[in-house]
Amino acid sequence: ENLGEVRWAADATCLQPRGKATLRVGDHAIVVVNPKDGAVKGEFPFASMKAAFTLPPTEKSQPAEAATLLLAASVSASKPPGKITSKLMQDAFKKASLALTLNDKYSKATPCPGTSGTLATAVSTQLSTLAKVANRSLLKGGKDPMSFKSAISSLPYIKATLGASQGNLHLIDIGILFLKPLVFLPCESIASIDCGRAGAGNCSSFDLVVEMERPWDTSDDDKPAKPPAFEFSNIRKDELEGVQKFVRDVLLPCRAKLRRELAEKKGEPVAVDEDSDDEDDDYEAASSSEEDSDDSSLEDSEAGDDRGDETESNDERDDEPAS
């Protein structure tokens, strides 16, 4: 009932939710179903989508190749029953966005319905048009003016570690995204950003700690879980100044703008984002003594995602490049 009339459909290789799937694009949402039995694997409302991003692979040698299409979205899932934990809230952000693999054999060989290209070359334009969101490229040589460029490599990402996995960290005006594991953190839901170990002179790297607003109301819980946080660690110290400047000059102003727009849409009083200056100081001068309290829960969360993929991963692993 959330789909509306089906306007476009195609089979594709998904990174999130993982495995081969059929995409059904309707008037209001994209529904992802299992091609074998039709079971729904995920629903992605257009109203929660922010933009479509074409991302490079995590292999350092191929930054100009289109590897992943991310339809970045805010959390739209309903609050689950039972106790709301930090892990559940982290998973909600990880699973909010739809991501397709573009550089596997299937995508390169399969025609994209309604176009003259393949899924690899044309699905980004097709889906961004249907969802009515901007189609943005974060590949090497891309001209996206609102994305961060590395001070070391000039690439549109920096290397970082999330949990036990190293991947590409992209900073953009509307949020923060990481691959792999895949996660998109919309800027209007970011509560705070801290640069851990930034002031330690003997450290060659720093951490970017992003605390998010809770995606659901937990005020009725006896002991509400702490807000979900994501720690991107082992970022080269040479990137610190550029990261601080981008957060201060691009990401935080965009957050204030989007929050004003959301408040106006809801008919709420428009609050001045008075904490921006304070948060600038917080993330630029974060103490190196911060406790690394979220690593274990992040790693547990990733393990949980992997266990859920086991029924669909065999033929995909043959097609998907190693990370």
Side-chain angles (χ1 to χ4, degrees):
E1 64 272 12
N2 296 328
L3 187 63
E5 182 180 350
V6 176
R7 294 186 289 156
W8 187 87
D11 288 344
T13 306
C14 290
L15 182 61
Q16 204 307 110
R18 197 173 181 87
K20 292 291 194 297
T22 299
L23 308 183
R24 294 176 180 165
V25 182
D27 296 316
H28 314 295
I30 299 175
V31 174
V32 180
V33 302
N34 187 316
K36 296 178 181 178
D37 60 13
V40 175
K41 301 176 68 174
E43 295 185 13
F44 303 90
F46 293 157
S48 67
M49 291 183 184
K50 309 297 181 183
F53 292 101
T54 302
L55 308 176
T58 53
E59 293 85 356
K60 188 176 180 181
S61 59
Q62 301 173 354
E65 179 185 2
T68 303
L69 172 65
L70 173 69
L71 287 165
S74 56
V75 175
S76 60
S78 301
K79 180 181 178 181
K83 172 69 175 175
I84 301 300
T85 64
S86 293
K87 177 184 177 301
L88 271 176
M89 291 186 280
Q90 288 168 346
D91 285 348
F93 284 103
K94 293 175 189 173
K95 296 176 180 179
S97 300
L98 171 63
L100 310 182
T101 299
L102 301 179
N103 61 347
D104 64 323
K105 295 175 185 177
Y106 181 83
S107 301
K108 291 178 178 179
T110 303
C112 179
T115 75
S116 58
T118 63
L119 291 173
T121 61
V123 75
S124 59
T125 300
Q126 187 77 344
L127 287 182
S128 62
T129 300
L130 290 168
K132 299 179 180 179
V133 294
N135 187 16
R136 299 170 62 175
S137 172
L138 297 181
L139 306 181
K140 179 182 179 181
K143 305 300 183 184
D144 194 305
M146 302 302 282
S147 62
F148 173 81
K149 303 295 189 296
S150 166
I152 299 169
S153 64
S154 296
L155 294 175
Y157 58 81
I158 50 181
K159 287 294 181 181
T161 301
L162 177 62
S165 302
Q166 186 185 61
N168 297 345
L169 178 63
H170 297 267
L171 305 178
I172 46 180
D173 56 333
I174 62 171
I176 295 172
L177 61 93
F178 185 83
L179 180 72
K180 296 176 180 176
L182 179 71
V183 62
F184 170 68
L185 305 176
C187 69
E188 69 271 22
S189 299
I190 293 175
S192 65
I193 305 178
D194 295 327
C195 288
R197 299 186 293 134
N202 60 342
C203 287
S204 60
S205 63
F206 69 97
D207 309 324
L208 191 67
V209 183
V210 184
E211 183 177 293
M212 305 299 293
E213 304 281 358
R214 294 179 178 89
W216 308 295
D217 182 7
T218 60
S219 58
D220 292 337
D221 292 357
D222 292 338
K223 294 182 179 178
K226 61 183 178 181
F230 296 83
E231 181 168 332
F232 304 100
S233 57
N234 298 319
I235 304 170
R236 287 184 57 171
K237 195 71 168 283
D238 313 54
E239 305 283 11
L240 177 61
E241 184 178 351
V243 168
Q244 291 176 331
K245 178 174 174 57
F246 187 87
V247 172
R248 181 182 62 244
D249 296 348
V250 179
L251 196 147
L252 289 181
C254 183
R255 183 187 67 169
K257 176 176 178 290
L258 289 175
R259 285 182 172 179
R260 285 196 299 271
E261 291 174 354
L262 285 171
E264 290 170 356
K265 192 177 295 185
K266 294 177 180 178
E268 298 173 350
V270 179
V272 178
D273 201 359
E274 296 174 346
D275 59 350
S276 292
D277 292 338
D278 293 338
E279 287 185 1
D280 290 349
D281 297 337
D282 287 344
Y283 81 80
E284 290 179 6
S287 168
S288 60
S289 64
E290 289 177 302
E291 290 294 326
D292 189 9
S293 58
D294 289 311
D295 275 356
S296 59
S297 58
L298 281 168
E299 290 178 27
D300 291 343
S301 180
E302 292 310 320
D305 287 350
D306 291 343
R307 285 193 294 272
D309 300 335
E310 59 190 10
T311 59
E312 299 159 325
S313 58
N314 292 335
D315 60 349
E316 185 193 5
R317 287 196 186 107
D318 294 336
D319 295 341
E320 214 177 51
S323 296

